[in-house]
Amino acid sequence: ISSCGFPRITADFTANKTILCNSGDSINFSLQNTSCSQANTTYQWFFTGATPATSTAQNPSKIVYNTTGKFPVKVILQTPCGTDSVVKAAYIDVSPLSSMSITAVPVICIGQSASLSVIGGVSYLWNTGATTSSIAVSPTTNTTYSVTVTDVNNCSTTLSQNMVVNTTLPVPSITGTLTICEGTSATL
């Protein structure tokens, strides 16, 4: 029990997310129960690798991490009941988005099919409803296919591939001598 009659304060906090998929994303932090009156309490937050790097708000918001890596977060509480602090090492993980792409032959003739395949990722959702890394398509007009790809860090991106359908098929023609005598040859 502290000198003010409350249990000793304990500093702790949470964040609305601890894994970010891209640098430039922001996080909101929430201070947990301090077991002491909030009156006359000061807060000192330290966000390594973030902007702003410090805050005196009880629940800082829109803390932006601009580089990839793992970063600690520290908070110090000063209350009439005492002081406490907590550091969570490598609490924020800013992961780069994995490299992902679609491979395809982008031009087909009408009546042909083509395969579209995603390189990278672990889960897929195509605009056709398919959930596999590759799909076979047979469009009859120019069509754009898109897929939302999620990587091992649960980070997602949407990729698209335009398929061009050549509707003008070549017309074969035969040229050369059309009449020949028996026993002779002709080049067509």
Side-chain angles (χ1 to χ4, degrees):
I1 302 277
S2 70
S3 61
C4 62
F6 290 99
R8 179 160 164 71
I9 66 160
T10 303
D12 196 14
F13 62 89
T14 60
N16 65 325
K17 52 190 168 184
T18 58
I19 297 176
L20 300 177
C21 296
N22 294 306
S23 58
D25 283 351
S26 68
I27 298 179
N28 300 326
F29 292 88
S30 297
L31 191 65
Q32 300 304 294
N33 185 357
T34 61
S35 301
C36 187
S37 168
Q38 299 298 315
N40 300 316
T41 298
T42 61
Y43 313 93
Q44 293 178 291
W45 292 84
F46 300 91
F47 309 105
T48 302
T51 303
T54 62
S55 175
T56 57
Q58 179 178 353
N59 298 307
S61 62
K62 298 182 182 173
I63 306 301
V64 178
Y65 287 82
N66 290 310
T67 57
T68 59
K70 295 185 181 199
F71 302 99
V73 176
K74 178 179 181 178
V75 65
I76 301 171
L77 296 176
Q78 293 179 328
T79 73
C81 301
T83 299
D84 192 29
S85 66
V86 64
V87 175
K88 294 186 180 181
Y91 185 63
I92 303 300
D93 183 358
V94 184
S95 299
L97 189 61
S98 300
S99 176
M100 296 176 260
S101 62
I102 295 178
T103 61
V105 175
V107 179
I108 61 172
C109 291
I110 194 161
Q112 290 183 318
S113 64
S115 177
L116 286 76
S117 298
V118 175
I119 298 172
V122 294
S123 70
Y124 316 90
L125 179 59
W126 293 87
N127 61 342
T128 63
T131 57
T132 56
S133 62
S134 295
I135 61 171
V137 296
S138 300
T140 56
T141 61
N142 294 352
T143 304
T144 299
Y145 294 92
S146 62
V147 59
T148 300
V149 185
T150 304
D151 69 8
V152 295
N153 296 316
N154 204 31
C155 298
S156 298
T157 190
T158 300
L159 306 171
S160 61
Q161 176 66 54
N162 187 39
M163 296 296 297
V164 176
V165 179
N166 188 348
T167 57
T168 306
L169 298 176
V171 177
S173 64
I174 300 175
T175 59
T177 305
L178 299 178
T179 308
I180 61 170
C181 295
E182 187 176 333
T184 61
S185 63
T187 302
L188 300 177

